[in-house]
Amino acid sequence: MDQAHDNSRMAGDGGLASFAKRVLIVALFAALAVAAWRLADLGLLLFGAVLIAIGLRRAACGIGKWTRIGPAGGLAVAVLVFLVALAAALSFFGTVAAGQFGELARQIPLGSKIALDWLRGQPYGPYILTQARGIAPADVTGMAGRAAAIIVQSTVTTAGYAILVFLVAIYLAAQPELYRRLLLRLVPPGRRAVAARLYEQTGQLLLRWLLGQFIVMLTIGILSGLGLWALGIEAPVALGLVGGLLTFIPYFGAVMAAVPATLVALTQSPLDAVWVIAMYAGVHFIEGNFITPLVQAEATALPPVLSLLSTVGFSILFGISAVLLATPLMLLVLVIVEILYVETILGAPPQHADILSAPERSGSC
């Protein structure tokens, strides 16, 4: 009788211990989820550093093989070339484009004045302008001061984050195998083969997307700059540079790039503004139907609807800064779903078995 009572008590203690263990595990995962949510901005910075590191590593491997100085020397050369190119670009655009940006600062207010004059001639224009005049000048001055302070603070913060991301990218590109081993050690031994495959496919897919995006940005910048120059619009170099850089933002970047160019053209004539809008529409029609499909088809083949939804969804989840990384983040999600769910759980054969056509691992040379 006593033996049975002892066994029952031991079973109860074991059940209580098992329940406490489950509660601790749930609490741990909840704490990790809260920490991950609070550190979402840090995660975005780290993901951006990974993207840059992938590009730097590929450049280091190519330079190292070509010059026979190895990947470490190739990385040093790649970083040096990048810094020299950045300094040369800043020097060039500091002398050539700075004057054009100054011209933009003078021309855009004139374009705004023309737009206001047009608005006054519309049936609803006087009402809108009357409501706008109801704002006190002191409020406008205060709002302008706060806006200027926010812009300065955002610029300094962005520059600091950019330097941090670039430094982290250099460390990641210098020793990719070290961080690969550290990540795989966190995975149970029986699942490390799947984790390694996820690591390799993600690296290769992001590299292809990065190269494709660079080609698209360069092409759009050149085409828009040449188009503005051909139309006789002021500041074509600066506006072409802005157009190429904003192409990195899916969908919305094209609209954002056309706004300053249209305002500048409006100061010359309304017809010029119409031609600029038509030119941007034509350039992005060519980009969307020919350039991007040709460049990115072999790289990612991301469905357009997923690209659009990812831009909106990630901006809602993580803020407007996530728009810049929406497409690569969606590619990461697709690879995770494909490997961890479709192939591992459902047992489906690999859909893109040729992503890793080369025998070398991602990050190796």
Side-chain angles (χ1 to χ4, degrees):
M1 183 70 178
D2 293 339
Q3 183 67 27
H5 178 71
D6 292 340
N7 291 338
S8 177
R9 185 177 62 183
M10 291 177 63
D13 293 341
L16 182 61
S18 178
F19 175 75
K21 182 179 179 180
R22 292 191 180 94
V23 171
L24 288 176
I25 292 175
V26 171
L28 177 61
F29 276 103
L32 290 175
V34 172
W37 182 258
R38 297 293 297 272
L39 297 176
D41 291 340
L42 180 61
L44 289 176
L45 293 177
L46 179 59
F47 187 73
V50 169
L51 278 178
I52 298 175
I54 291 173
L56 285 177
R57 185 64 183 181
R58 181 50 56 190
C61 291
I63 295 173
K65 288 181 179 180
W66 183 56
T67 59
R68 298 183 180 180
I69 59 176
L75 178 62
V77 173
V79 173
L80 181 62
V81 168
F82 174 80
L83 293 178
V84 171
L86 180 63
L90 291 177
S91 176
F92 174 77
F93 287 110
T95 56
V96 176
Q100 295 190 355
F101 277 111
E103 183 67 20
L104 289 180
R106 292 189 296 270
Q107 296 286 356
I108 288 178
L110 294 177
S112 301
K113 182 178 182 301
I114 295 175
L116 288 175
D117 292 339
W118 174 84
L119 185 61
R120 291 189 185 96
Q122 303 303 312
Y124 52 83
Y127 173 77
I128 296 177
L129 294 176
T130 301
Q131 296 299 319
R133 291 192 188 99
I135 303 176
D139 295 337
V140 175
T141 303
M143 291 170 58
R146 288 192 296 270
I150 292 174
I151 292 173
V152 171
Q153 181 181 2
S154 300
T155 303
V156 174
T157 303
T158 302
Y161 283 157
I163 295 174
L164 175 63
V165 167
F166 188 68
L167 291 176
V168 173
I170 293 176
Y171 282 109
L172 293 176
Q175 295 179 303
E177 287 296 322
L178 171 63
Y179 301 104
R180 179 181 182 274
R181 289 195 300 268
L182 291 176
L183 287 175
L184 292 181
R185 283 181 62 86
L186 300 176
V187 181
R191 297 292 183 180
R192 285 179 184 172
V194 176
R197 185 163 176 267
L198 176 64
Y199 179 93
E200 312 305 338
Q201 289 206 8
T202 301
Q204 290 292 328
L205 192 61
L206 291 179
L207 174 62
R208 293 185 178 188
W209 175 83
L210 196 62
L211 294 175
Q213 192 66 22
F214 175 77
I215 294 173
V216 171
M217 291 171 61
L218 182 63
T219 305
I220 293 301
I222 294 174
L223 289 179
S224 59
L226 289 176
L228 293 170
W229 172 79
L231 292 174
I233 306 302
E234 297 289 338
V237 175
L239 293 172
L241 174 64
V242 171
L245 293 177
L246 289 177
T247 306
F248 192 85
I249 304 175
Y251 300 102
F252 304 106
V255 178
M256 295 167 61
V259 171
T262 304
L263 289 176
V264 171
L266 196 60
T267 64
Q268 300 178 199
S269 73
L271 183 59
D272 285 337
V274 173
W275 279 114
V276 166
I277 294 174
M279 186 273 295
Y280 270 96
V283 167
H284 287 283
F285 175 81
I286 295 173
E287 178 265 331
N289 291 277
F290 299 100
I291 300 175
T292 297
L294 288 175
V295 172
Q296 296 286 12
E298 294 296 328
T300 62
L302 181 66
V305 66
L306 289 183
S307 179
L308 178 60
L309 291 178
S310 66
T311 302
V312 178
F314 285 118
S315 64
I316 294 175
L317 285 175
F318 304 116
I320 194 64
S321 59
V323 173
L324 297 175
L325 301 174
T327 300
L329 282 172
M330 178 54 68
L331 292 175
L332 175 63
V333 171
L334 290 180
V335 174
I336 292 175
V337 171
E338 173 70 21
I339 294 180
L340 297 187
Y341 177 71
V342 176
E343 297 179 12
T344 303
I345 297 179
L346 300 183
Q351 184 178 4
H352 302 289
D354 60 336
I355 288 181
L356 285 179
S357 57
E360 59 187 25
R361 290 200 304 262
S362 177
S364 62
C365 295

